[in-house]
Structure formats: C-alpha cells, structure tokens
C-alpha cells in the first residue's frame, strides 16, 4: 500500500483518482472517495454518470485504467480475492441464476464461500425468511417478480455478512412499499456495523440513507458533502403554488413575491408558480393567508425540497434527460416532482 | 493460504458450479433430449440409408459406424461448451461469480466438466440404440470402455477449444455459428463414416492426420479387437496437446475479458 493511503487506513473504502475509459468515452476521469467504516455513502448521478463503472471497479469486476483503491484495507488490483471475501455486491441488474430456485441460488453462494453444509442451510433459510421469500424458496427464480428477484439478489450478497456492501441502484424498479422495506433493511445493516456504498438517481433516497453524498456526472465529481451541505449548495426549498384559475397566476405571484429568495418562476398556462424560498414552512402559511385574503383559490400548494433535477440544474447547468432516466422522479415539470411524500417536509 | 486448502477450495468451487450447470438440464430436459435425438437420428440414417453402399472391412456397417459416430457425438456436444459459456457471460450470474472469493477459472473447469457429464449420458444412450440396431462388443467390455474413455477425453479437449471460441465472441448466436461451422469438414473428412482410403488422395492427406480420425480409429480398433496401440497413442497425444494449448488459452482470455 502506498503512503498516501496511510492516513485512511481506518476507512472501509479509499479510492484515489480512479480513471476508466471505454475507447473514447471517459466513464471516470479521476474520482476519489473515502468511506469510513460503518457509514453509508451515497453516489448520486444521472444515467451514464459513471456510477456503475465505479462500483464495478471497486468490487473487482472491472479493471480501472489508473489510480488505486483499497476496500476494507485490501488493494483491489493486487489482492482482489481478499476484497471479494469481505464485500457484498448487489449490482444494477440482478445476479441470480434463473434456473435455480431461490434456495438453490443461496446454497450456491454459500458453497462458493466455502462454508459448512449446516451453516449454509441455516443461513439460507434465515435470509429467505428475512426477505419474505420463504414461500417462493423452492421454485425457479425466473418465476419471481422483479422485486422478488432483487430481494433474492440482495440476500445473496448478504450471505457471508459482508463488511462492505455495494448497492447499485437497489430500489430502481421497486414499488414504494418494497423500497421502504429495503431502506429499513439497509438501516438495520448499518446499525450492525456494515459499511454501505449505494448509488441512486434519487436525491431523496440518498438523503434518507446516506451520511455523505457525492454527486458525479460525466465521470467527474461535481459535489460532495453531507445531505444538508449539498442541499444548501443546491438552494433551499421551493414553494410551489398551483392556482385554480390560470389567469390568477400573475396576481398570485405579485402577492407572494416577497417570499422569494431568488427569481421566481411562473408557468401561466398551468397556473403554476415556483418560488425559491428560505422561509421554510412559514412560506406556506404566509402564502395561504395572502392568497385567501385576495380570494384566489389554491388548487395545490407545497413546499418541496430540492430534487435531483435541481441539483443538476444548479451544479452542472444541465438537467438529466428525465423520461429515460427517472421514472419516478420529476419528468413532468416542477409541480409534480414531490413524488415521495416530502410535501411540507421540513427536515 | 496453504496450497492444500487452496486446491480443496478450487475443487469444491468446480463441483458447486458443475452442480449448478447440471440443475439447468434437469429444469430443461428438452436440452438433453434434442441433443440426443440428433446423433441417434444420424446413426439410424447412416446405418439404413448409406450403410449398404459403404464398403468397410468390418462385418456390418454398424460395427464400423458406432465407434465413429460416438466421436462425432461428443464433438458436437463439446461445441456446446462455448455456447453455454457465452450465454453465462451474457447473464448476471457471472457478475455474482466474479464478486465471490472463488478460483475464477473454476467457472471454465465446471463448464467443461458439465459437458463431460452430458457426453457420458448421451453416449450411453447412443450405445444402447446401437445395440438395438445390431452393434455388438466383439472384444471384451474393458476394451470397449477404454474406447469410451478416450472418446470422453477427446470431448473434454474439444470443450476447451469451444470455450476459447465462446470467450472470444460477443454473443450467443455468434458462438453458435463459430462453434460449429469448422467442425463439419473435420467430421466428414475423417474415418467416422467411411474409410479414409475411399477418399481422393489429396483429401486423404488431410483426413488421415486429424485428431478426429486418430480418435475414431483408436476407438474402433478397441471395440473390434484390432491392434489399437498406435491409434490410441496418436489420439492421446492429440488430446494432451490440445489440452496443453487450449486450457491456458481459455484461462487467459477469460481473465482478459474482465470488463
Ligand atoms: N462496456 C462499455 N462499453 C462502452 N462504454 C461503456 C461501457 N460501459 C459503460 N460505458 C459508458 O460509460 C459511461 C458510464 O456508464 P455507467 O454505466 O457507469 O453509468 P451509470 O452512472 O451507472 O448510469 P445509469 O444510471 O444509467 O446506470 C457511459 O457513458 C456509458 O455509455
Ligand atoms: Mg448504472
């Protein structure tokens, strides 16, 4: 290990200046991260940002061009098997065998960890139970739903109690209920001391789970910090008001303009105004009072936290291309972006 | 880690993945059924359609044909190795294997071993059908079994060639075509179906010197009770030669594919 690393000996993941190109595509151009033991690190970025590439490099599935990294103290290039022995990986696409049953998949993993027969059986049953797969345990996993397959995949990566867990977009494609369950499981693992590196396209998810977030785009780090720091970089809350009669939009805006911290935005055709504000929940109270006094009917009002769109708009000056990338996220314009219940959120 | 433990782990990795490969056949028995029907059909067609017209030194054509067609069968069966490998590589499970602390080449060894198991099953059925249409072991069961062993080793060697092909192509369809196309001339320009002496002399030069002819001749000599030593030696030399070249080649190209 190089001297550079010594300062971080205690960290679960240390990566220095990792670069990777596919021909002329620079998937990663110099990414460095440090993840202390027991923490959750959120890697946030739009499609093609390089998230999967970084995860595959750190989990020894892919060779990097330059830079160096250690995972749980083991160098990924010179000691890949030691890395593999300590990590768990749930990739972006399920790494299960469709012809094997859920139980057989788990047994296979157990055997490949060279565990004892009884221990394998016991652990498999335990994981099937934990991930609510007991009923489906003995049918081929190709008959599983997408969510079940992801759960099986996660169970397989947890088989040997990994010290460091890599989750590449673990909740993409899950229904809200399964997502919350998965978040819960991740939190439990972290409480037990597991270090987690998780990639996501949803700021909200990173916000919810991660101690630290890194935003990458085009293979470069564009921001890093705690969720709070990041959000303050992006800007504060946005007050969104949807008036019932579109022709009231301008009058409404004039009434609440003083709540704005930056230039407000209006979409006349929809009767929508969005006002970046620093007033927090107070902005809602104030807006409701003023508009009510002026007899302007409000169809909807919400204080929303910055979304991934805002992050990218602010940090990169371009938005991710919404339709392909973020089915649950924004897409429809600012008003509909709240999605997952962060209306009135004041966290 | 000491070497004994390492070896133990490697063996257990190979067995675990072989078992996984074999489970697939129990879930999709049609895979085995179709890969058995085709060579059996070949055997019956050759016996009854061409058999009468082909002059061999053996009494009946089936006595000549069976040893040869076993070689053809394992050869085609082995070519499945590359296809299965390409298929595995295109699936998520390979990422699972690669993220586990296993002997990475166990994936290749397990694949080739699986195809040996499958070949055992298929040649067993072929021999059975051979008996029904008149094949007899004339020179002791041990010699015959020795012949079968050579056939299986021959199949194992060609599995590694096939593995190299499967690893060097990008998708399953290409593996399918690339795996089979070059085998046909080798199979027909050999002593599998007809004596090489009946071919034009320019072709004989080629046909006499392929591993296929050597193996077919060795197995045939063993089952018919003819002197088999020279042929068997030739066949074994081919088998070891091929293994010595293609095992390292497959391992190298597997490790290179990373990414
Ligand atoms: N095998 C490959 N060959 C060529 N280019 C690749 C390959 N894999 C990835 N790339 C390119 O590298 C860049 C980063 O891809 P990566 O998969 O890491 O992105 P990502 O952040 O995981 O995106 P997503 O959110 O869509 O999963 C992209 O521009 C992608 O096109
Ligand atoms: Mg990805």
């Amino acid at each position: 290990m190089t001297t550079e690393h010594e300062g971080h000996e205690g960290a679960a993941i240390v990566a220095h200046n990792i670069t990777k190109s596919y021909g002329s595509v620079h998937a990663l151009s110099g990414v460095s991260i440090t993840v202390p033991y027991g923490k959750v690190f959120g890697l946030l970025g739009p499609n093609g940002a390089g998230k999967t590439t970084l995860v595959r490099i750190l989990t020894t599935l892919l060779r990097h061009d330059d830079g160096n990294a250690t995972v749980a103290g083991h160098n990924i290039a010179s000691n890949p098997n030691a890395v593999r022995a300590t990590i768990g990986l749930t990739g972006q696409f399920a790494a299960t065998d469709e012809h094997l049953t859920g139980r057989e998949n788990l047994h296979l993993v157990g055997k490949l960890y060279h565990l004892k027969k009884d221990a394998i059986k016991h652990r498999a049953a335990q994981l099937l139970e934990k991930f609510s797969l007991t009923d489906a345990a003995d049918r081929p996993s190709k008959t599983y739903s997408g969510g079940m397959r992801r759960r099986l995949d996660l169970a397989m990566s947890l088989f040997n109690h990994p010290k460091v867990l890599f989750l590449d977009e673990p909740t993409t494609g899950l229904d809200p209920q399964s997502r919350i369950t998965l978040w819960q499981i991740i939190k439990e693992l972290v409480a037990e001391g597991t270090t987690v590196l998780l990639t996501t396209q949803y700021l909200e998810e990173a916000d919810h789970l991660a101690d630290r977030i890194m935003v990458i785009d085009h293979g470069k780090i564009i921001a890093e910090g705690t969720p709070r720091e990041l959000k303050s970089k992006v800007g504060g809350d946005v007050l969104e008001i949807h008036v019932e009669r579109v022709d009231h939009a301008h009058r409404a805006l004039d009434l609440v303009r003083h709540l704005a911290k930056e230039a407000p935005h209006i979409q006349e055709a929809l009767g929508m105004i969005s006002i970046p504000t620093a007033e927090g929940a107070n902005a809602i109270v104030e807006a409701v009072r003023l508009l009510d006094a002026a007899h302007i009917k409000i169809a909807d009002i919400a204080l929303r936290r910055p979304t991934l769109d805002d992050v990218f708009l602010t940090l990169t000056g371009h938005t991710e291309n919404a339709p392909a990338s973020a089915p649950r996220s924004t897409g429809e314009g600012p008003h509909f972006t709240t999605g997952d219940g962060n209306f009135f959120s004041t966290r | 880690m000491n070497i004994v433990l390492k070896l133990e782990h490697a063996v257990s990795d190979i067995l675990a993945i072989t078992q996984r490969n074999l489970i697939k056949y129990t879930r999709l028995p049609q895979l085995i059924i179709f890969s058995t029907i085709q060579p059996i059909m070949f055997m019956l067609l050759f016996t009854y359609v061409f058999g009468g017209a082909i002059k061999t030194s053996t009494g009946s054509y089936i006595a000549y044909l069976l040893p040869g067609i076993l070689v053809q069968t394992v050869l085609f069966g082995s070519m499945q190795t590359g296809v299965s490998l390409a298929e595995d590589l295109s699936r998520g499970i390979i990422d699972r294997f690669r993220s586990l602390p296993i002997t990475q080449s166990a994936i290749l060894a397990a694949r080739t071993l699986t195809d040996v198991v499958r070949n055992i099953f298929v040649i067993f059925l072929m021999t059975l059908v051979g008996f029904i249409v008149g094949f007899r072991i004339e020179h002791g069961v041990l010699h015959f079994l020795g012949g079968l062993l050579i056939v299986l080793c021959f199949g194992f060697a060609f599995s590694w060639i096939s593995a190299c092909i499967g690893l060097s192509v990008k998708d399953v369809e290409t593996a399918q075509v690339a795996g089979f196309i070059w085998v046909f001339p080798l199979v027909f320009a050999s002593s599998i179906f007809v004596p090489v002496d009946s071919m034009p002399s320019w072709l004989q030069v080629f046909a006499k010197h392929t591993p296929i002819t050597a193996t077919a001749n060795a197995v045939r000599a063993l089952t018919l009770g003819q002197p088999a030593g020279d042929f068997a030696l030739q066949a074994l030399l081919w088998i070891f030669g091929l293994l010595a070249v293609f095992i390292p080649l497959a391992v190298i190209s597997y490790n290179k594919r990373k990414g």
Side-chain angles (χ1 to χ4, degrees):
Chain A
M1 251 152 271
T2 63
T3 45
E4 271 178 287
H5 282 165
E6 265 147 29
H8 297 297
E9 282 279 273
I13 305 172
V14 182
H16 275 285
N17 255 321
I18 300 287
T19 63
K20 173 76 190 178
S21 302
Y22 297 102
S24 62
V25 180
H26 298 292
L28 292 175
S29 15
V31 173
S32 303
I33 63 172
T34 305
V35 185
Y37 280 107
K39 298 281 180 204
V40 181
F41 190 89
L43 195 60
L44 196 64
N47 286 147
K51 303 183 296 295
T52 299
T53 305
L54 184 60
V55 167
R56 290 178 70 84
I57 286 171
L58 292 175
T59 53
T60 76
L61 297 185
L62 186 66
R63 237 169 248 155
H64 52 293
D65 299 338
D66 217 341
N68 52 62
T70 61
V71 175
H74 307 292
N75 192 292
I76 55 168
S78 60
N79 205 356
N81 254 2
V83 173
R84 293 178 189 132
T86 46
I87 62 166
L89 165 65
T90 301
Q92 186 167 4
F93 305 102
T96 57
D97 190 311
E98 57 175 9
H99 299 295
L100 302 192
T101 66
R103 196 188 307 278
E104 285 166 346
N105 266 295
L106 287 164
H107 282 191
L108 175 60
V109 170
K111 281 182 210 156
L112 294 175
Y113 276 118
H114 312 121
L115 303 176
K116 292 236 159 34
K117 230 181 181 152
D118 292 342
I120 292 173
K121 258 185 146 164
H122 179 248
R123 180 70 175 146
Q126 189 186 22
L127 285 165
L128 287 166
E129 188 65 42
K130 185 180 176 96
F131 287 91
S132 320
L133 289 169
T134 307
D135 291 338
D138 297 309
R139 46 178 232 243
S141 70
K142 84 170 154 202
T143 66
Y144 287 13
S145 74
M148 289 163 82
R149 203 165 304 148
R150 280 209 87 87
R151 295 210 297 276
L152 174 62
D153 198 31
L154 184 60
M156 287 164 81
S157 19
L158 294 179
F159 202 95
N160 202 27
H161 305 282
K163 254 197 244 170
V164 185
L165 182 61
F166 292 85
L167 303 171
D168 195 359
E169 301 197 19
T171 62
T172 300
L174 294 189
D175 64 31
Q177 184 55 49
S178 312
R179 261 171 97 207
I180 290 167
T181 314
L182 199 108
W183 286 0
Q184 202 52 47
I185 289 170
I186 295 172
K187 283 182 174 170
E188 280 167 29
L189 289 167
V190 174
E192 290 161 16
T194 312
T195 308
V196 177
L197 186 146
L198 131 132
T199 81
T200 179
Q201 298 187 17
Y202 311 117
L203 180 65
E204 192 218 344
E205 181 162 291
D207 190 6
H208 191 84
L209 293 170
D211 299 301
R212 232 183 144 68
I213 297 177
M214 177 184 280
V215 182
I216 62 171
D217 190 22
H218 295 304
K220 291 199 191 73
I221 302 173
I222 52 176
E224 195 195 340
T226 63
R228 188 180 295 273
E229 286 167 356
L230 204 69
K231 267 182 277 178
S232 69
K233 246 183 218 173
V234 171
D237 303 329
V238 178
L239 176 68
E240 285 183 346
I241 303 169
H242 194 170
V243 292
E244 246 172 31
R245 292 182 45 186
V246 292
D247 55 330
H248 282 165
H250 269 290
R251 220 148 57 81
L253 179 58
D254 288 337
L255 285 167
V256 298
R257 193 183 293 275
H258 64 281
L259 296 170
K261 173 178 82 157
E262 282 160 42
H265 183 69
I266 183 161
Q267 281 179 282
E268 277 188 83
L270 297 171
M272 283 247 335
I273 48 185
S274 0
I275 304 158
T277 181
E279 315 263 321
N282 218 15
I284 296 185
V285 179
E286 180 80 357
V288 170
R289 201 172 54 75
L290 289 169
L291 296 182
D292 192 45
H295 302 289
I296 296 175
K297 284 230 163 73
I298 302 170
D300 198 358
I301 183 165
L303 186 70
R304 77 170 167 80
R305 306 248 107 188
T307 64
L308 188 58
D309 263 2
D310 302 319
V311 176
F312 285 103
L313 197 58
T314 314
L315 294 175
T316 67
H318 69 83
T319 43
E320 60 174 320
N321 46 6
S325 60
R328 258 198 321 282
S329 175
T330 59
E332 306 281 353
H335 185 72
F336 302 103
T337 51
T338 47
D340 296 287
N342 49 4
F343 281 82
F344 301 105
S345 152
T346 50
R347 183 155 37 107
Chain B
M1 196 164 33
N2 75 49
I3 204 114
V4 178
L5 188 65
K6 237 181 174 162
L7 215 66
E8 237 171 68
H9 282 178
V11 170
S12 102
D13 292 341
I14 293 172
L15 292 181
I17 301 175
T18 303
Q19 191 191 9
R20 169 254 170 189
N21 294 343
L22 289 172
I23 288 176
K24 178 175 172 185
Y25 289 121
T26 66
R27 300 279 141 81
L28 299 168
Q30 62 269 31
L31 287 180
I32 288 272
I33 291 171
F34 284 109
S35 63
T36 319
I37 285 180
Q38 194 234 20
I40 288 178
M41 210 159 65
F42 249 74
M43 178 162 70
L44 296 178
L45 286 174
F46 266 84
T47 309
Y48 294 117
V49 179
F50 303 113
I54 298 172
K55 290 274 162 298
T56 63
S57 54
T58 57
S60 65
Y61 181 60
I62 185 71
Y64 181 89
L65 177 68
L66 187 98
I69 206 144
L70 290 182
V71 175
Q72 185 229 31
T73 304
V74 296
L75 186 55
F76 282 175
S78 303
M79 289 306 124
Q80 198 56 44
T81 299
V83 179
S84 309
L85 207 54
E87 203 177 292
D88 272 354
L89 288 172
S90 70
R91 294 189 190 246
I93 188 73
I94 203 80
D95 278 353
R96 174 70 57 202
F97 291 150
R98 282 186 152 151
S99 70
L100 291 171
I102 62 171
T103 316
Q104 289 300 315
S105 42
I107 294 162
L108 302 177
R111 187 71 252 168
T112 51
L113 196 63
T114 305
D115 290 317
V116 170
V117 174
R118 207 185 42 146
N119 275 339
I120 292 176
F121 178 79
V122 176
I123 63 174
F124 173 77
L125 280 184
M126 295 280 293
T127 312
L128 215 66
V129 177
F131 270 107
I132 295 169
V133 300
F135 174 77
R136 291 295 172 264
I137 297 173
E138 324 230 338
H139 192 59
V141 177
L142 275 184
H143 279 91
F144 180 65
L145 290 180
L148 294 190
L149 194 64
I150 292 180
V151 172
L152 288 172
C153 292
F154 168 83
F156 183 65
F158 271 76
S159 269
W160 285 96
I161 300 182
S162 176
C164 287
I165 296 169
L167 287 165
S168 63
V169 297
K170 285 257 179 312
D171 58 282
V172 182
E173 285 73 22
T174 318
Q176 196 98 39
V177 177
F180 285 91
I181 203 101
W182 59 277
V183 191
F184 279 96
L186 278 175
V187 164
F188 284 94
S190 79
S191 66
I192 286 183
F193 299 108
V194 295
V196 173
D197 297 338
S198 65
M199 297 174 191
S201 54
W202 60 268
L203 189 56
Q204 282 189 36
V205 177
F206 171 77
K208 272 189 180 149
H209 297 99
T210 68
I212 292 158
T213 296
T215 310
N217 286 349
V219 180
R220 190 170 288 127
L222 280 167
T223 46
L224 296 175
Q226 297 162 348
D230 273 4
F231 291 137
L233 186 69
Q234 259 183 47
L236 289 177
L237 281 177
W238 267 111
I239 289 166
F240 284 117
L242 291 172
L243 288 174
V245 173
F246 287 98
I247 290 181
L249 226 99
V251 171
I252 290 168
S253 79
Y254 176 81
N255 289 336
K256 256 218 205 111
R257 260 187 84 108
K258 216 181 190 192

